[in-house]
Amino acid sequence: MLRSLQIEPEKCTGCLQCELACSYQAEGVFNPAKSRIKIFTFHDEGRFVPYTCTQCSEAWCMHACPVEAIVLNEETGSKDVLADVCVGCKVCTIACPFGTVNYNQDTKIVYKCDLCGGDPECAKACPTAAITYVDADHTGLARMRAHAAESAGIGANS
Amino acid sequence: MAWTNNVLRVNLTEGSMSNEPLNMDWARQYLGQRGLATKYLVEEIDPSCDALGADNKMIMTTGPLTGTMAATAGRYSVVTKSPLTGAVACSNSGGFIGAELKSAGYDMVIFEGKSPTPVYLYIENDKAELVPADEIWGKSVWAADEWLHKKYQDPLLRIAAVGRSAEKGCLYASIVNDLHRAAGRSGVGTVMASKNLKAVAVRGTKGVGNIKDPAAFMQAVNAGKKVLAEDAVTGEGLPTYGTNVLMNVINEVGAMPTHNMRDVQFEGAGKISGEAMHEPRASDGKPNLTTNAACFGCTIACGRISTIDRGHFSIENKPQYWGASGGLEYEAAWALGSDTGIDDLDTLTYVNFLCNEDGIDPISFGSTVAAAMELYDMGVITKEHTGGVELTFGSSEALSWATEATCKGEGFGLELGLGSKRLCEKYGHPELSMTVKGQEFPAYDPRAIQGMGLTYATSNRGACHLRSYTVSSEVMGSPVKTDPLVTEGKAELVKSLQDANAIVDSTGLCVFTTFAWTLEDIAPQVAAACEGEWTPESMLEAGERIWNLEREFNLAAGLTAADDTLPPRLLKEAAKTGPAKGMVNNLHEMLPEYYEIRGWDEQGIPTTDTRQRLGLA
């Protein structure tokens, strides 16, 4: 079963536990600046929105890479950056329509979400289940259920 | 390690900076943040110095866990000598700048001297520079924040700043970071402004590592997160209703300071409670509460983000306040609300926005307004003083006017900026000031919660609930229920909580975790991250060491046992309603026992034995 990150912004409190978990897993330090998942704060609206790579099936980044440094992980569906192949040209960061491939000045190559090899730390760290790792066929199902409940006049948590 | 082992020392007089290693001998004794910075302060300044003079220093400090993934580990403190109390000041704040400072590679920044002209400190990892602040001096915190973000084109720049109130000498000015978190109490913002330091702007991208035993640390962190999630207060009450979940609870036990503490219950409490913030307004059908929000790394998320009705008189012509911003905490709701007799949620949210916008402590401010209202009620303060404003209890218009004037430091606002003690002295009624050591009371009337009387009287920074929150035991029954109306056993309770909180404030964690955590939950996280032996016992002892160090600073600053007292109203005027009806606070039954348990003599001075036992001699 392929799984996918499901993000429900309305549950996010902006605590950055996901960014801390991500950076610690990937870089060995707690460092939101190097996290693959980012929380965006919309202050005047009072909203916090987590955002990261959705692992497109036909990934723009993968197709755009001139040195084939971005490869499909058959098991998880993630598109992974091969650090020793990437030349840091940043073409993938231009190709990605969502901005979820980023460049790291220190390593001089790009980085992106690799689903932690199939056990994403961000989802485990999130205290409000704003980020969950679910059956890829079921992304959006929680929201659909909530709307279904609303349409039937049932409380969303029933 | 967990510490970065790097201190930035900023000489504002010379405009120079230097880096030095953290004193690790002291870190092993005082851990970090509150404890360690207090040690630096004690070693480096004369306690009798003028708090607003160049000889005072101001330390912005993180804890060893700050910036890590431990739940709530985003705290920093500002440690200095307080202009409000003349005692040691240590104000703690959340938000994001503490973790950012750590991620930039610093345990603490020590500010010394006084800049000849307004400046701000800009930090980007190893790069630190003092920059002229002419364009933001005279502006609010929010305006300075916007200007700095625009200048550096960096949305993730974290900023702490002082507002116009601090520049104009308001004695309880706070330092506001991330727009609505604050190192709020004791006038630490006044000290910052006195040094001509407008703001600290930080970008740190190094990250926080150096964890002694990463596997053990993550295990302890995850265990701690689980405890917080499963606790009724930290897992449910606080995220849902914020700290204002207490409004109805404390009102019911008759400990709600009302009308400058003439009363102990407020009939409008239900209208300004955490529950009320969820209710749709009659006017526009929207609730006051927009969302709850977390500080860095916090899995509780007690923060309130609120929106005011656009048609409300306070903001109908002020679109700058139409968006969501930091909403009412319990302390702000009480001080701005029940103490002034105002039960209008939109008014309180508006003045709370202003307190954040220009950096004033809503507790001290609300309490000072309440004292002024009582003086107005008595005919001592008149329309002549207020410029025609009727400063009556319950008047939303008067509170809004008073807040605007105090935030900008204009007219009668300058007198309100003196704080309750100086204001009441000025008008000939010092007995009406609800303060200890010059600092205004927080939201628990000690006639109905006896232990809080001892807490306030002995707090090293003047009246404060965060130094030993006996409410947990006396009202909520955690960890053990004690009777709030009796004094027996409270001396021991206060001492143990004071010691525990002193060390929690030295870790980088939030004291609100202690609704669910004990040192048994915290010590494994500290021990896995830091060098040294950190057990619940050794942490409690370090907390006691910190408490006594603060006490010694205060004694050297000229405070005495005579300052360990409460206003006469609380010792002589009985509560009129509620469970404590007919009671006063019986401080005299607790204080001598407290001194004895502390190992202090009858003058409240730590004995030689105590000093030696704690390594202070």
Side-chain angles (χ1 to χ4, degrees):
Chain A
M1 179 185 76
L2 203 65
R3 295 211 285 171
S4 185
L5 285 172
Q6 173 173 266
I7 290 172
E8 298 170 80
E10 61 277 12
K11 292 182 180 174
C12 179
T13 64
C15 75
L16 311 190
Q17 278 277 333
C18 56
E19 295 190 3
L20 293 165
C22 175
S23 56
Y24 192 64
Q25 160 73 19
E27 309 274 345
V29 288
F30 301 109
N31 190 0
K34 297 292 189 289
S35 174
R36 278 83 176 132
I37 187 165
K38 305 273 189 207
I39 304 300
F40 293 91
T41 300
F42 297 87
H43 182 267
D44 288 0
E45 292 76 20
R47 291 295 298 273
F48 307 98
V49 185
Y51 208 75
T52 189
C53 175
T54 55
Q55 315 295 349
C56 308
S57 298
E58 291 295 330
W60 279 269
C61 61
M62 191 165 70
H63 290 308
C65 179
V67 294
E68 297 189 3
I70 300 180
V71 297
L72 169 69
N73 179 326
E74 295 281 357
E75 202 176 317
T76 65
S78 68
K79 313 300 174 297
D80 300 348
V81 177
L82 301 174
D84 52 351
V85 180
C86 176
V87 295
C89 72
K90 310 182 201 68
V91 168
C92 56
T93 70
I94 299 166
C96 174
F98 308 107
T100 55
V101 193
N102 305 106
Y103 182 70
N104 181 338
Q105 301 182 39
D106 301 331
T107 59
K108 298 185 169 54
I109 59 170
V110 300
Y111 65 106
K112 67 178 289 299
C113 172
D114 62 359
L115 296 173
C116 298
D119 189 18
E121 296 293 333
C122 55
K124 286 192 283 184
C126 180
T128 61
I131 306 162
T132 46
Y133 194 48
V134 301
D135 184 328
D137 291 351
H138 292 172
T139 52
L141 212 66
R143 191 170 300 161
M144 203 168 162
R145 186 178 188 277
H147 281 288
E150 200 180 317
S151 71
I154 304 165
N157 297 321
S158 302
Chain B
M1 274 289 278
W3 299 276
T4 66
N5 197 20
N6 185 23
V7 174
L8 179 65
R9 191 176 285 275
V10 180
N11 185 322
L12 291 161
T13 307
E14 304 288 335
S16 61
M17 272 173 282
S18 59
N19 291 82
E20 64 192 51
L22 191 70
N23 187 318
M24 290 308 296
D25 288 338
W26 293 349
R28 272 184 280 274
Q29 285 186 296
Y30 296 95
L31 190 55
Q33 205 175 351
R34 174 174 163 187
L36 187 53
T38 302
K39 177 65 176 170
Y40 270 86
L41 191 78
V42 165
E43 294 290 334
E44 295 193 12
I45 75 164
D46 174 356
S48 67
C49 74
D50 174 6
L52 299 179
D55 292 341
N56 193 9
K57 296 189 184 185
M58 186 187 99
I59 305 175
M60 190 173 171
T61 172
T62 65
L65 298 189
T66 304
T68 71
M69 200 171 152
T72 77
R75 311 297 300 190
Y76 78 97
S77 290
V78 177
V79 176
T80 186
K81 176 173 172 166
S82 164
L84 186 69
T85 64
V88 67
C90 174
S91 291
N92 183 307
S93 181
F96 297 86
I97 197 173
E100 199 75 20
L101 185 63
K102 191 77 174 287
S103 202
Y106 305 93
D107 290 312
M108 58 171 76
V109 183
I110 302 175
F111 295 98
E112 339 182 304
K114 174 182 177 170
S115 173
T117 53
V119 291
Y120 68 87
L121 175 66
Y122 176 77
I123 294 175
E124 186 184 348
N125 295 329
D126 296 335
K127 177 181 152 187
E129 58 181 359
L130 288 169
V131 186
D134 304 315
E135 285 172 88
I136 47 176
W137 192 260
K139 292 207 162 92
S140 73
V141 172
W142 289 2
D145 186 285
E146 188 180 353
W147 188 86
L148 287 163
H149 273 116
K150 271 192 187 143
K151 173 172 176 178
Y152 290 97
Q153 295 290 304
D154 183 353
L156 289 175
L157 188 66
R158 305 296 189 182
I159 294 161
V162 292
R164 290 170 288 187
S165 59
E167 294 175 17
K168 295 285 179 68
C170 170
L171 289 174
Y172 46 81
S174 57
I175 298 170
V176 175
N177 58 278
D178 303 292
L179 295 175
H180 39 73
R181 307 310 306 182
R185 303 225 68 193
S186 309
V188 295
T190 321
V191 174
M192 182 160 155
S194 78
K195 299 192 171 302
N196 271 328
L197 179 65
K198 180 67 180 179
V200 177
V202 188
R203 187 73 173 115
T205 60
K206 292 183 177 180
V208 175
N210 271 342
I211 302 296
K212 187 176 81 176
D213 182 344
F217 181 68
M218 290 309 288
Q219 194 180 0
V221 163
N222 287 330
K225 284 167 68 175
K226 191 161 180 284
V227 172
L228 293 179
E230 289 169 357
D231 182 84
V233 177
T234 52
E236 203 178 325
L238 286 175
T240 308
Y241 297 114
T243 51
N244 207 8
V245 68
L246 287 162
M247 181 63 72
N248 288 319
V249 176
I250 300 303
N251 197 48
E252 274 167 35
V253 301
M256 177 62 62
T258 304
H259 304 132
N260 199 35
M261 302 183 90
R262 286 199 301 212
D263 299 306
V264 295
Q265 287 180 309
F266 180 46
E267 60 181 17
K271 293 168 74 176
I272 58 171
S273 65
E275 290 86 339
M277 291 167 72
H278 279 268
E279 296 297 322
R281 284 185 285 251
S283 51
D284 66 353
K286 292 176 186 163
N288 174 277
L289 184 72
T290 304
T291 186
N292 66 324
C295 294
F296 179 96
C298 176
T299 58
I300 304 173
C302 74
R304 303 291 93 181
I305 301 294
S306 288
T307 312
I308 306 169
D309 175 7
R310 289 186 188 185
H312 190 259
F313 83 89
S314 60
I315 66 156
E316 57 183 343
N317 298 315
K318 299 174 187 169
Q320 68 268 36
Y321 302 110
W322 288 358
S325 193
L328 292 167
E329 307 290 334
Y330 171 52
E331 289 295 338
W334 154 78
L336 301 170
S338 77
D339 210 27
T340 63
I342 293 165
D343 63 5
D344 179 51
L345 210 42
D346 275 327
T347 295
L348 302 186
T349 305
Y350 169 63
V351 297
N352 192 59
F353 280 11
L354 296 187
C355 289
N356 290 331
E357 183 181 19
D358 261 299
I360 58 173
D361 169 12
I363 303 178
S364 285
F365 170 68
S367 183
T368 303
V369 172
M373 284 176 166
E374 183 164 7
L375 290 165
Y376 186 85
D377 208 25
M378 294 160 61
V380 177
I381 287 177
T382 66
K383 280 190 195 174
E384 213 167 286
H385 301 104
T386 64
V389 175
E390 292 189 41
L391 198 57
T392 50
F393 281 114
S395 168
S396 288
E397 289 77 8
L399 178 65
S400 298
W401 163 80
T403 315
E404 289 159 9
T406 306
C407 283
K408 291 176 192 160
E410 293 172 354
F412 191 68
L414 286 169
E415 293 193 20
L416 291 171
L418 295 171
S420 168
K421 176 171 180 270
R422 290 167 179 84
L423 183 85
C424 291
E425 279 171 356
K426 178 173 178 175
Y427 285 96
H429 287 276
E431 76 283 1
L432 295 184
S433 171
M434 297 301 121
T435 51
V436 171
K437 300 180 175 73
Q439 178 156 288
E440 292 75 7
F441 281 89
Y444 309 89
D445 193 299
R447 287 169 290 199
I449 308 176
Q450 292 286 320
M452 290 309 283
L454 185 62
T455 287
Y456 296 153
T458 60
S459 161
N460 284 327
R461 69 168 184 177
C464 171
H465 56 300
L466 298 169
R467 291 298 176 266
S468 60
Y469 194 70
T470 64
V471 179
S472 275
S473 167
E474 298 183 88
V475 178
M476 295 183 244
S478 169
V480 183
K481 181 79 174 82
T482 55
D483 185 343
L485 301 180
V486 307
T487 54
E488 194 186 343
K490 298 299 162 62
E492 180 62 44
L493 180 67
V494 167
K495 178 199 178 277
S496 63
L497 287 172
Q498 285 173 338
D499 294 347
N501 284 6
I503 196 66
V504 173
D505 283 344
S506 303
T507 57
L509 301 172
C510 176
V511 75
F512 286 178
T513 57
T514 61
F515 283 115
W517 286 353
T518 66
L519 291 177
E520 298 283 344
D521 301 290
I522 295 171
Q525 301 183 55
V526 175
C530 304
E531 285 174 347
E533 294 297 315
W534 297 102
T535 63
E537 295 74 29
S538 74
M539 288 185 74
L540 205 58
E541 188 187 69
E544 186 177 7
R545 184 177 302 122
I546 294 163
W547 191 266
N548 280 271
L549 185 71
E550 291 174 340
R551 177 77 178 183
E552 293 198 341
F553 178 95
N554 288 352
L555 292 169
L559 280 80
T560 69
D563 297 299
D564 297 339
T565 188
L566 297 171
R569 173 164 286 172
L570 305 177
L571 299 173
K572 291 174 186 163
E573 293 178 26
K576 295 173 193 161
T577 62
K581 186 177 176 181
M583 287 190 67
V584 296
N585 184 271
N586 293 313
L587 180 64
H588 65 280
E589 293 174 7
M590 299 180 279
L591 193 60
E593 186 189 355
Y594 171 84
Y595 281 178
E596 195 181 326
I597 293 171
R598 274 258 168 247
W600 297 352
D601 67 18
E602 287 174 3
Q603 299 307 309
I605 299 166
T607 63
T608 307
D609 281 355
T610 301
R611 302 184 77 239
Q612 281 174 346
R613 177 171 62 80
L614 295 171
L616 292 167

